[in-house]
Amino acid sequence: MYAINNSWWKGNDQVLLGWKNDERLLPWIRNERLLRNVYALFLGQVISFLLALSSFFSSSVIDLGVNVPLTHSFFAYLPLVLVFGTIRMGRRQNIRVSWLYYLYLGFVDVQGNYLVIKACQYSTLTRVTLLECWTIPWAMILTWIVLGTRYSIRQFFGAALCIGGLASVFLSVAGWGGGEGSKPLLGDTLVMAGTLFVAMGNVGEEFCVKKKDTVEVVAMIGVFGLLVCGCEIYILELETLTSIKWSPDIVLGFAGHAVATFLIYTLLPFFLKISGATMFNLSLLTSDLWAVVIRIYFYHQKVDWLYYLSFATVAIGLIIYSKDDGGSNIAAFEDQNLNAHYQELSEGSGGCRN
């Protein structure tokens, strides 16, 4: 039951080693680094697809006249608390990091999601989608400052190719002409602030999951995200919630969004362990393209060939980026900054297992 903690990747290391030494496999599969890259690329696209699925369910609720993004987030954090919080309580250990740090992670996570969604009310979807790409340079800057990650020229080129692949299709299909939204400057500002918050949350979580307990990190983000959402719902969305006429379609939309988001938060720590916040945000660039695939399936819409070209370009950029691993010097300052927050119980208090 507790195999989901920090020993998770150690077990995968043994699996990779077994594959590497298996004489029946092709020689190129024995490259452990290649296996990690392929696994990261695959897992990134699973998360990207889940993000597109969650957006589909949330947009279906908005189409029904219900626009409550904070309530969506509330029901996404709730299963994290119920599942990972229960596992964490079963260990009977004190938290390893100060609750203030988890409050920070929960706060920036909620604000990042809310501000980007709120921006859609004042700007066009095209502008919001393109400006969301700012999450990537924010993540690269923060990982360089906070985690000591160093990037190669090839990684910069791969990141630029990913962003260019997504930007080109949206600019060609929608263009910058025509409507810009009711308040484009306000919308752009909200997106930029939202992407900064998202990057801050991703980098903070990357630090925690690589050196702390994965279950604790996810559980605490759920707890404090739930608390922050609850406070903001009371201020911003309570009146709207009381006026909603609930229907099976609305409930299904909320439930689908909650399940998809729960899976994202569950898989995200595993991705951050083997890769990082920058690679994660690059992988999410395909979520808008996955959204098109979902709409093709449900609504039988036709897709311009530029979408396929964009998907291929982003995929190539991801492969180029993953060729080099930007090492982070987390261990160099981890003990200095967070040791004060450690409060492990003695081995005899509760007979806990990790």
Side-chain angles (χ1 to χ4, degrees), residues 292 295-296 299-304 307-308:
V292 174
R295 290 190 173 274
I296 291 174
Y299 302 123
H300 306 289
Q301 296 178 345
K302 293 183 178 180
V303 180
D304 193 282
Y307 281 95
Y308 299 106

Side-chain angles (χ1 to χ4, degrees), residues 57-103:
F57 282 114
S58 62
S59 63
S60 67
V61 174
I62 294 175
D63 291 340
L64 295 172
V66 180
N67 189 6
V68 283
L70 288 170
T71 305
H72 276 293
S73 297
F74 182 89
F75 286 111
Y77 291 122
L78 184 59
L80 295 178
V81 176
L82 295 177
V83 175
F84 290 94
T86 301
I87 297 174
R88 186 67 185 81
M89 290 177 62
R91 295 179 177 180
R92 300 178 182 178
Q93 291 177 327
N94 289 346
I95 61 174
R96 300 183 175 188
V97 180
S98 170
W99 64 271
L100 289 173
Y101 188 76
Y102 287 132
L103 175 60

